[in-house]
Amino acid sequence: MAFTSGCNHPRFTLPWRTLLPYLLALHLLQPGSAQLTVVAPSLRVTAIVGQDVVLRCHLSPCKDAWSSDIRWIQLRSSGIVHHYQNGEDLEQMQEYKGRTELLRDGLYDGNLDLRITAVSSSDSGSYSCAVQDGDGYADAVVDLEVSDPFSHIIHPWKVALAVIVTLLVGSFVINVFLYRKKASQSRELKRKDAMLGLSAENLKELASKLNKNADEVEDCNSELKKDCEEMGSGVADLKLLAAKLGRQTKELEKQHSQFYRHFQHMDSRAVKQKKLVTKLEEHSEQMERRNVKLEAAAVKVGQQAKESEKQKSELKERHEEMAEQTEAVVVATKESEKPSEDLD
């Protein structure tokens, strides 16, 4: 029998026997009051590996679930598949991160649908949709069954048939390869026989050409002998020239050795002259230092001479003063003696 379940959900067809326990529970839990409940329109959801699936639940009576605490829980591991609270998605199991989505468009109508993407065989099991808000707590269970169409059991006779077919195909391929190889070998042998027939004729032609070439080589040898005799006379002349060149090279070596010794003697003289120049330079520097010292001593002597002259002039002045003083004393004594004589 068809009916519309949930809040603005599509139609689902469920037997009355399946819904009867839920209706009785609703009547027992709601004695005349609108108590919060969660209803699962489809208790069993099927999917194939790799598909996206939606687990559907809704509140009864329908109400806004935007500010509710909604949790989808995997009953097998008791892990949180998706946790929603006050408009935010909270922590969840590592296996479901990035694969779940709570369809928020239906929250205002009380729908608690959860989408799981790319389901796998490990996602099979029971899931609990739990809701808690100010009115209370309620939950419902949905079973998910994921099937893999490629995980069928392979029968032994199928394996044996596959092995036999593989062996037959392999033997056919090997036979074809061997046949083609023999055919190519036979064609190659025929081609080589034809080439050998042609090579025999070519060898005869080559033999006649070689005979002609041998005659030409004999003629060339006779000409080379004549050339060798002429070259022999030229070689004797070259030997004489070589002897003369040897003597000239010896003379040049002697001259070179003489020049080398002369250059060495000149180098030694240059070294000695350089040493003498350095000594003269050192001696001139010493003489300059001595001249500087003598000049300083001469200056000192001149200063001393000037001082001695000053002292002499001072002594003369003192001597003259002393002479004047002695004369004055003598005059004074003479004058003092005259009145005494007058008195006598």
Side-chain angles (χ1 to χ4, degrees):
M1 181 177 181
F3 69 98
T4 303
S5 64
C7 302
N8 297 328
H9 266 316
R11 299 173 62 88
F12 292 91
T13 302
L14 290 175
W16 279 104
R17 292 180 181 178
T18 305
L19 294 175
L20 185 59
Y22 292 94
L23 295 173
L24 291 173
L26 289 173
H27 284 293
L28 291 173
L29 292 173
Q30 298 177 358
S33 64
Q35 187 177 358
L36 178 69
T37 58
V38 178
V39 178
S42 179
L43 300 178
R44 183 171 176 270
V45 179
T46 59
I48 298 174
V49 172
Q51 288 183 342
D52 297 345
V53 67
V54 178
L55 305 181
R56 299 186 181 277
C57 281
H58 63 87
L59 295 177
S60 181
C62 295
K63 59 177 293 186
D64 186 2
W66 185 265
S67 59
S68 301
D69 188 346
I70 304 170
R71 301 188 186 190
W72 280 89
I73 301 171
Q74 188 184 51
L75 297 181
R76 182 179 70 251
S77 62
S78 299
I80 296 175
V81 177
H82 195 95
H83 187 190
Y84 169 87
Q85 186 177 15
N86 294 325
E88 295 182 359
D89 294 325
L90 304 178
E91 295 182 359
Q92 62 182 151
M93 295 172 64
Q94 184 67 30
E95 294 85 351
Y96 291 93
K97 282 188 177 180
R99 295 177 52 218
T100 61
E101 179 188 4
L102 189 69
L103 303 181
R104 300 189 182 188
D105 294 340
L107 290 176
Y108 294 106
D109 298 328
N111 295 320
L112 313 173
D113 301 342
L114 179 70
R115 177 185 287 120
I116 303 175
T117 60
V119 295
S120 61
S121 300
S122 61
D123 295 332
S124 297
S126 298
Y127 293 83
S128 172
C129 177
V131 180
Q132 185 174 4
D133 61 1
D135 296 334
Y137 174 84
D139 62 356
V141 177
V142 180
D143 292 331
L144 174 62
E145 182 179 348
V146 181
S147 60
D148 188 357
F150 300 101
S151 61
H152 299 294
I153 300 173
I154 300 174
H155 297 285
W157 66 270
K158 291 182 180 180
V159 176
L161 180 61
V163 172
I164 291 169
V165 170
T166 303
L167 292 174
L168 290 173
V169 171
S171 62
F172 176 75
V173 171
I174 291 169
N175 289 327
V176 170
F177 174 75
L178 293 173
Y179 175 76
R180 288 184 177 179
K181 189 174 182 180
K182 287 180 180 179
S184 63
Q185 287 177 353
S186 63
R187 287 195 297 271
E188 186 69 20
L189 289 171
K190 289 179 181 179
R191 187 175 63 81
K192 288 182 178 180
D193 291 337
M195 290 176 67
L196 288 172
L198 293 172
S199 62
E201 294 177 357
N202 293 329
L203 287 172
K204 289 179 180 179
E205 292 178 358
L206 288 172
S208 61
K209 289 180 180 180
L210 288 172
N211 291 326
K212 293 178 180 178
N213 290 330
D215 295 334
E216 292 176 357
V217 168
E218 288 179 356
D219 296 334
C220 290
N221 288 328
S222 60
E223 291 178 357
L224 287 172
K225 286 179 180 178
K226 293 177 180 178
D227 293 334
C228 289
E229 291 175 356
E230 293 176 356
M231 290 293 290
S233 60
V235 168
D237 296 334
L238 289 172
K239 287 180 179 179
L240 295 173
L241 289 171
K244 289 180 180 179
L245 289 172
R247 289 192 295 272
Q248 290 177 358
T249 52
K250 288 180 180 179
E251 290 177 357
L252 289 171
E253 287 177 355
K254 288 179 181 179
Q255 291 177 359
H256 179 70
S257 62
Q258 290 176 359
F259 282 121
Y260 182 71
R261 286 193 296 272
H262 181 68
F263 287 139
Q264 285 181 345
H265 184 65
M266 293 294 289
D267 289 334
S268 62
R269 283 186 179 180
V271 170
K272 289 178 181 180
Q273 287 177 358
K274 286 180 181 179
K275 290 179 179 178
L276 289 172
V277 169
T278 52
K279 286 181 180 179
L280 290 171
E281 288 177 353
E282 291 175 356
H283 183 68
S284 63
E285 289 176 358
Q286 290 177 0
M287 292 298 290
E288 287 178 357
R289 288 195 292 272
R290 286 180 183 178
N291 291 330
V292 171
K293 289 179 181 179
L294 290 172
E295 287 176 357
V299 171
K300 288 181 181 179
V301 170
Q303 291 176 356
Q304 290 177 359
K306 288 178 181 179
E307 290 177 356
S308 63
E309 287 178 357
K310 286 180 181 180
Q311 290 176 1
K312 286 179 180 180
S313 63
E314 289 176 356
L315 289 172
K316 285 180 180 180
E317 290 175 356
R318 288 180 183 178
H319 182 70
E320 290 176 354
E321 288 177 356
M322 290 294 290
E324 290 176 354
Q325 289 177 2
T326 54
E327 287 178 357
V329 170
V330 171
V331 171
T333 54
K334 286 180 178 181
E335 288 178 355
S336 63
E337 286 179 355
K338 283 181 181 181
S340 64
E341 287 178 357
D342 291 335
L343 289 173
D344 291 334

